Amino acid sequence: MGRGLRSDGDRGPRLPCPRRQGGRERGLKKIVLARSLLIESPRTIPVAALLARLGRDPEATAFRVRLPAPADRPHARRHLVGATPELLVQKTGDAIRSHPLAGSAKRAGSAAEDKQVAQALAQSEKDRREHLYVVDYILDTLAPYCAELCAPRGTEVTHTASMWHLGTEIKGRLRDRETPSAVLASILHPTPAICGLPPSASARLIAELEPVPRGFYAGAVGWSKANGDGAWYVAIRCADICGTTARLFAGAGIVLGSEPMSEAAETGAKFGALLAALGLPADMAVAGLLQTS
C-alpha cells in the first residue's frame, strides 16, 4: 500500500533526561516524546478494512473516530484509527477501573526468547520506576473521588500481539456514583503515560521538541451513557488518516536511566501493529530510524 514513508520525529540520540542534584531528582521526573511517520499511498486507504485488521488483537481495543476535515480539503473524510491497549478509566455504577501501562518491550519471534523479554521487562528497575510514576499519579488523582481505591494485583506483565507492557489494574468505588465517566477521564488526562511529570512542564517541553503537533494522538477515546457509565481509553497506537495519507505516532517514556537509541527503537516497535495492518513491513519504522542521520 505504502508509496513512501517519512519520519518527522528523528533528531538523533538526544534526550531531555531528568537530572540529579544532591542525590535527588530536579526538573522533570519523566517525559514522553513521540515520533511521527507520514505514509503516502497511491490509493485511498481503506479505513474499514484497516479497523478490522487491527481488531484481530484481542488484547487491544480497536477504534475509529471521525475527525474534522483539513482546512485545505473541507470535503475530505478524515479518521483517527487505532488499537489501544490502555484503559484510562471505566465506570459502572459506583465501580471504577483503570489499567495504566508504562514500560514496554518488543515481543520476540520464538517462545523462549519472548519469555526472556517478558522476564527482563518485569525485572527492569528503570521500567518499573517509570511505571510507578503513572500508577501513583492515577491513585493520587482518583483518591479524593473514591471511598475505596486499590491495585489488588500490583504490577504485572501484560501484552498485545506485538508488545510486552508493565500494567497495573486499579479498582475503586466512587463516593458519588453520579460522577460521569467523561468527567473522570478529563480529571485523569493527561497521565504520565503519555505526557510526563510534572505534567505542565512536560507538556511545554513536548510542544517545543516534537516537530509535528500531536493533534488527536494521545487524547482520550471512548463512550459514555446518559447515566454517566462508560469507558475511556488512551488514544495511542493510532493513525490520523485522510484519503491517501496516514500520519502515525508512537511515543516512549524517558526517565533517569533511559538509553536514547533504545527508546527510539521502542517507538519503532510500537509502530509495528499499524504498519502491518496497512500492509507494510512491521519493522519499517526501525529501518527508517537507522537510515536517519
Side-chain angles (χ1 to χ4, degrees):
M1 174 183 294
R3 180 175 62 197
L5 174 66
R6 183 167 73 248
S7 174
D8 301 298
D10 302 325
R11 295 182 172 182
R14 293 174 292 171
L15 300 180
C17 289
R19 293 167 291 178
R20 285 189 179 273
Q21 185 176 45
R24 295 183 178 181
E25 290 182 3
R26 63 184 179 91
L28 298 178
K29 291 184 177 180
K30 175 182 178 178
I31 187 170
V32 180
L33 293 179
R35 292 174 61 206
S36 174
L37 300 179
L38 179 64
I39 295 175
E40 299 174 343
S41 170
R43 298 178 297 278
T44 298
I45 296 173
V47 172
L50 175 62
L51 182 67
R53 287 192 287 270
L54 291 172
R56 294 171 186 167
D57 187 345
E59 304 302 328
T61 298
F63 63 89
R64 177 178 67 179
V65 180
R66 184 74 179 269
L67 299 180
D72 59 342
R73 289 182 288 169
H75 301 295
R77 296 181 67 85
R78 180 185 172 207
H79 297 87
L80 187 70
V81 182
T84 174
E86 187 163 5
L87 175 66
L88 180 61
V89 66
Q90 181 181 43
K91 174 188 177 292
T92 305
D94 67 347
I96 62 168
R97 187 169 72 92
S98 179
H99 195 191
L101 306 178
S104 306
K106 181 182 178 182
R107 298 194 65 175
S110 72
E113 290 176 331
D114 200 38
K115 183 178 180 180
Q116 290 176 352
V117 171
Q119 291 174 339
L121 179 63
Q123 296 167 5
S124 168
E125 186 277 333
K126 188 272 293 184
D127 287 295
R128 295 188 72 89
R129 177 162 36 87
E130 175 189 345
H131 183 76
L132 188 60
Y133 286 142
V134 183
V135 174
D136 285 348
Y137 173 90
I138 291 177
L139 289 171
D140 290 346
T141 303
L142 289 177
Y145 301 89
C146 293
E148 301 175 11
L149 189 64
C150 65
R153 298 199 304 268
T155 300
E156 302 174 310
V157 178
T158 184
H159 66 83
T160 64
S162 58
M163 298 292 298
W164 288 106
H165 299 287
L166 294 181
T168 299
E169 184 181 42
I170 296 170
K171 292 183 176 182
R173 293 201 172 274
L174 294 169
R175 298 181 188 275
D176 180 4
R177 65 183 294 129
E178 301 301 319
T179 305
S181 61
V183 170
L184 294 171
S186 68
I187 292 167
L188 286 172
H189 183 78
T191 76
I194 50 88
C195 183
L197 277 177
S200 57
S202 299
R204 288 194 298 269
L205 192 54
I206 286 169
E208 176 186 336
L209 293 175
E210 292 183 1
V212 178
R214 291 186 176 189
F216 292 91
Y217 164 71
V221 59
W223 56 272
S224 186
K225 293 182 178 180
N227 66 358
D229 288 356
W232 294 87
Y233 296 82
V234 183
I236 54 175
R237 315 295 158 81
C238 58
D240 186 332
I241 297 176
C242 187
T244 59
T245 64
R247 169 73 67 179
L248 284 65
F249 293 88
I254 299 165
V255 296
L256 282 170
S258 292
E259 294 291 337
M261 297 313 296
S262 295
E263 301 297 338
E266 180 181 316
T267 63
K270 289 175 177 176
F271 283 125
L274 257 173
L275 289 172
L278 287 165
L280 297 167
D283 62 352
M284 179 176 282
V286 178
L289 168 68
L290 296 177
Q291 294 169 6
T292 302
S293 59

